[in-house]
Amino acid sequence: MEGFTWNIGDKIVNSRLIIGSALYPSPKIMVEAIQASRAEIVTVSLRRQAAGDKDGKEFWQIIKDLKINVLPNTAGCHTAKEAVTTAMMAREVFATNWIKLEVIGDQYNLQPDPFELVKATKALIKEGFEVFPYTTDDLVLATRLVDAGCNILMPWGSPIGSGKGLMNPYNLEAIRNRYPNINLIVDAGIGKPSDAVQALEIGYDGILLNSAIALANEPVIMATAFKNAVNAGVLAKQAGMMQKKELASPSTPTIGTPFWHND
Amino acid sequence: MSELSVVVNGKKTILTQGLNLQQVLDKQGYKNEQVAIALNETFIARSQYQNTLIEANDCIDIVAPMQGG
């Protein structure tokens, strides 16, 4: 649908939802949920694999069969060096220059390490990567990443897997207002469809989520709910929302109202 | 034939001396697997496997696609 077209990382997709591939009850449910979400970008990862282990191979075949874009991540990395090495390995295995750059600085809330994140970003952009940096909602950090050459920023709504939604909409809006031409994606913390609607209503270009769908009681139904939520948010932003007012004003015309009180 | 000790995916492994990365992959059972390699935490491109000789105490990480968020 034309209104949902999104130019991201030199590709055009028709959904503003980026979906994760982890935590589903089964591979079958993962496939059904991804298809129901209509997402055209799915996140994947790399892990050590023992020789002869078929799990990784089977998983990758399932993802390839979906025929959508893959966005590899650097989950688990704590230094720029680890993240750069992981990104290089991901580029070779997944045959894409896209990388969801995660450099974790705190094990408790999985907050990105801003210093290592910027260092890794600079190194990867130099190597020709399209960096999707998982960052906080800090405006100065956003500026450092844009200065490093990022076309995309992915501030958190709240900590990964917390489902707490957008904890600081003010900060997220500040980044939106400062960088109107950067692709902004809320990554992490989305817990329910209304969080996704909110992100798009404040002008974010997309959302990235995993747990909110994979950990729902019915992931496939939740995937449909998020598909509709994301579309609603995009349309609401396009339509332009009414201004808030301090006082009530009647929506039904008052002229000709019977029993009108003139006194 | 002399041997050397390396670490493959965190496990101590004894290999024949003089092997390159491609030979290590084949001997460890990764033939034709879609994997990528870091040698001592540095990425080694597939095109360089045959030119990269393994030395004692090397740490080899062999990774493959996995679910991720």
Side-chain angles (χ1 to χ4, degrees), chain A residues 45 48-49 51 73 85 92, chain B residues 28 30 41 46 61 66 69:
Chain A
S45 195
R48 284 173 172 170
Q49 177 167 292
N73 70 27
T85 300
E92 188 170 78
Chain B
Q28 294 290 306
Y30 289 96
E41 298 184 20
R46 199 173 292 141
D61 279 293
M66 191 55 69

Side-chain angles (χ1 to χ4, degrees), chain A residues 173 176 182 184 198-206 237 241:
Chain A
E173 287 189 69
R176 174 73 291 170
I182 295 287
L184 294 182
Q198 187 187 6
L200 290 150
E201 283 176 351
I202 65 172
Y204 272 60
D205 299 286
K237 184 65 182 169
M241 283 153 279

Side-chain angles (χ1 to χ4, degrees), chain A residues 202-226:
Chain A
I202 65 172
Y204 272 60
D205 299 286
I207 59 161
L208 191 159
L209 62 82
N210 192 154
S211 306
I213 289 178
L215 300 183
N217 290 340
E218 297 287 349
V220 181
I221 296 173
M222 187 60 84
T224 304
F226 269 102

Side-chain angles (χ1 to χ4, degrees), chain A:
Chain A
M1 191 170 170
E2 194 178 337
F4 304 126
T5 299
W6 187 20
N7 196 327
I8 177 87
D10 289 331
K11 290 189 179 172
I12 294 172
V13 295
N14 295 298
S15 167
R16 304 304 184 99
L17 176 60
I18 301 175
I19 192 169
S21 58
L23 303 173
Y24 295 89
S26 71
K28 181 174 179 290
I29 292 175
M30 176 191 76
V31 168
E32 289 174 2
I34 292 172
Q35 288 172 332
S37 77
R38 297 287 195 272
E40 294 179 20
I41 304 174
V42 60
T43 57
V44 292
S45 195
L46 285 173
R47 283 292 179 272
R48 284 173 172 170
Q49 177 167 292
D53 182 350
K54 297 280 181 270
D55 288 352
K57 193 184 265 183
E58 285 174 7
F59 166 73
W60 181 221
Q61 191 56 52
I62 288 170
I63 294 294
K64 280 196 288 190
D65 289 345
L66 286 169
K67 299 191 188 313
I68 58 177
N69 302 291
V70 293
L71 174 59
N73 70 27
T74 62
C77 292
H78 289 77
T79 66
K81 182 176 167 54
E82 289 173 3
V84 169
T85 300
T86 303
M88 305 279 259
M89 292 194 287
R91 181 162 65 178
E92 188 170 78
V93 167
F94 296 112
T96 176
N97 69 335
W98 285 9
I99 193 72
K100 180 190 170 190
L101 183 59
E102 293 183 37
V103 191
I104 300 303
D106 185 276
Q107 208 48 45
Y108 176 71
N109 67 355
L110 301 180
Q111 182 168 337
D113 181 320
F115 308 100
E116 293 295 303
L117 179 65
V118 172
K119 194 172 160 186
T121 296
K122 287 178 178 172
L124 290 170
I125 286 177
K126 208 171 171 183
E127 290 286 342
F129 282 86
E130 184 73 68
V131 177
F132 293 58
Y134 163 60
T135 178
T136 61
D137 53 21
D138 185 294
L139 178 61
V140 176
L141 176 53
T143 298
R144 296 287 178 269
L145 292 166
V146 171
D147 289 347
C150 286
N151 304 305
I152 299 158
L153 296 177
M154 302 207 298
W156 66 356
S158 48
I160 294 173
S162 70
K164 288 178 177 294
L166 310 191
M167 292 195 64
N168 198 332
Y170 173 85
N171 277 7
L172 292 171
E173 287 189 69
I175 297 173
R176 174 73 291 170
N177 294 335
R178 182 66 59 88
Y179 295 109
N181 299 318
I182 295 287
N183 254 314
L184 294 182
I185 300 162
V186 171
D187 174 15
I190 299 280
K192 53 191 186 305
S194 56
D195 300 331
V197 177
Q198 187 187 6
L200 290 150
E201 283 176 351
I202 65 172
Y204 272 60
D205 299 286
I207 59 161
L208 191 159
L209 62 82
N210 192 154
S211 306
I213 289 178
L215 300 183
N217 290 340
E218 297 287 349
V220 181
I221 296 173
M222 187 60 84
T224 304
F226 269 102
K227 177 198 73 175
N228 292 336
V230 166
N231 289 348
V234 171
L235 290 176
K237 184 65 182 169
Q238 285 175 6
M241 283 153 279
M242 65 167 280
Q243 296 295 311
K244 283 183 185 174
K245 298 175 191 169
E246 288 304 315
L247 297 171
S249 60
S251 49
T252 303
T254 52
I255 296 171
T257 305
F259 324 121
W260 187 250
H261 303 283
N262 291 318
D263 50 339

